[in-house]
Amino acid sequence: MKDILTIATCMNDYIRIYTVNSTNTIKKMQEIHKTYPTSGAALGRVLTLGLMMSVMEKKTDERLTIKIEGDGPIGNIVCEAKYGAVRGFVHNPGVYLKRNDGKLAVGLGVGSGFMTVIKDYGLKEPYTSTIPLVTGEIAEDACYYFLQSEQTNTAVALGVLYNKEANIESAGGYIIQLMPGCPDEYITKLEETLKTISPISTLLSEGKSNLDIIKLISDDAKVLEEMEVSYFCECERSKFLNNLKVLGKDEINKMILENKDIEITCNFCNKVYTYKPEELKTLL
């Protein structure tokens, strides 16, 4: 089954909703990075956020990067997205922390620090914005980012649900944004509705579709667009080889003289590329 992202409007187009079921995408992430539940939930939430943010400006050539730099045991989290496709990694995939209520302690695992969003449109300088982490739970931090950096009132829900075998059962999220001039009555209605909605990962585990979730938010919602989303990686053997040039000729010569194969592992997909000394000579 393909993961689907849905864009809708409601309440006379004053409210826009982005909803994604990212279950298979996040399962692919777990398969690649062998994440423990708390690390996987943190990375999964960031990747889910990246999927939705990557389609918000309708620029298919935009490159979006989200960096979470926390002082918790999980360490840094990096997400790269491009119009419905996402990839990422976490510094320490082996964190499993729980709160007293039994839920995953993502905020404790992430800790205090900063969230940076980089939007690269192919111009000379990318747009970059950094905000302090509010809770480390990712969704609250994203809300603060939208308010501070884009001056947009936003509700964000992100979730990754694990089963008893520590495998991902469901994952997804939604972003709800108020359009300029949104009447107070719509805001109040939305706020009251959101108080009654179950966690997004629970809704998905119960079999709810994106449209079902959108209708829970507002029964007058209209779907604008749906698209498939997925995990991707664009790493290439030639790119990694060319990147070795930054080491300088002296260091490359040293590696050639050692007459050993060089291995480089892609952080995003864990694919290993092996280069023989003869290949390194092409860099000189």
Side-chain angles (χ1 to χ4, degrees), residues 35-159:
T35 51
Y36 283 36
T38 308
S39 293
L43 179 55
R45 291 179 189 182
V46 177
L47 294 182
T48 299
L49 175 66
L51 282 172
M52 292 185 286
M53 289 182 65
S54 73
V55 304
M56 295 180 75
E57 296 189 30
K58 292 291 184 182
K59 296 179 179 179
T60 56
D61 58 345
E62 175 193 352
R63 294 283 180 153
L64 173 77
T65 301
I66 303 173
K67 295 181 180 179
I68 305 293
E69 299 171 284
D71 61 5
I74 288 176
N76 294 350
I77 302 170
V78 177
C79 161
E80 292 185 0
K82 60 165 193 176
Y83 207 74
V86 73
R87 64 180 185 171
F89 63 89
V90 59
H91 178 73
N92 183 3
V95 178
Y96 191 4
L97 298 172
K98 285 188 175 183
R99 304 187 319 209
N100 291 335
D101 61 5
K103 295 182 179 180
L104 294 173
V106 173
L108 182 61
V110 171
S112 301
F114 299 91
M115 173 181 176
T116 299
V117 175
I118 303 169
K119 297 180 179 180
D120 189 346
Y121 303 111
L123 305 175
K124 288 184 178 180
E125 294 293 334
Y127 165 84
T128 301
S129 178
T130 299
I131 55 105
L133 294 172
V134 178
T135 65
E137 295 285 342
I138 311 303
E140 293 89 341
D141 306 302
C143 289
Y144 188 64
Y145 161 78
F146 283 116
L147 182 62
Q148 294 297 312
S149 299
E150 301 189 8
Q151 291 75 53
T152 305
N153 289 313
T154 307
V156 180
L158 303 166

Side-chain angles (χ1 to χ4, degrees), residues 166-219:
N167 293 316
I168 292 168
E169 184 172 321
S170 64
Y174 59 73
I175 294 175
I176 305 172
Q177 291 195 319
L178 306 182
M179 298 296 103
C182 182
D184 290 343
E185 61 188 273
Y186 291 164
I187 298 174
T188 300
K189 182 180 179 181
L190 178 63
E191 289 175 342
E192 293 301 316
T193 299
L194 292 180
K195 292 177 183 178
T196 67
I197 295 179
S198 300
I200 181 71
S201 55
T202 300
L203 294 173
L204 292 170
S205 71
E206 293 172 349
K208 297 287 193 301
S209 67
N210 288 358
L211 183 58
D212 292 333
I213 294 168
I214 289 169
K215 290 295 185 180
L216 289 175
I217 296 169
S218 180
D219 56 12

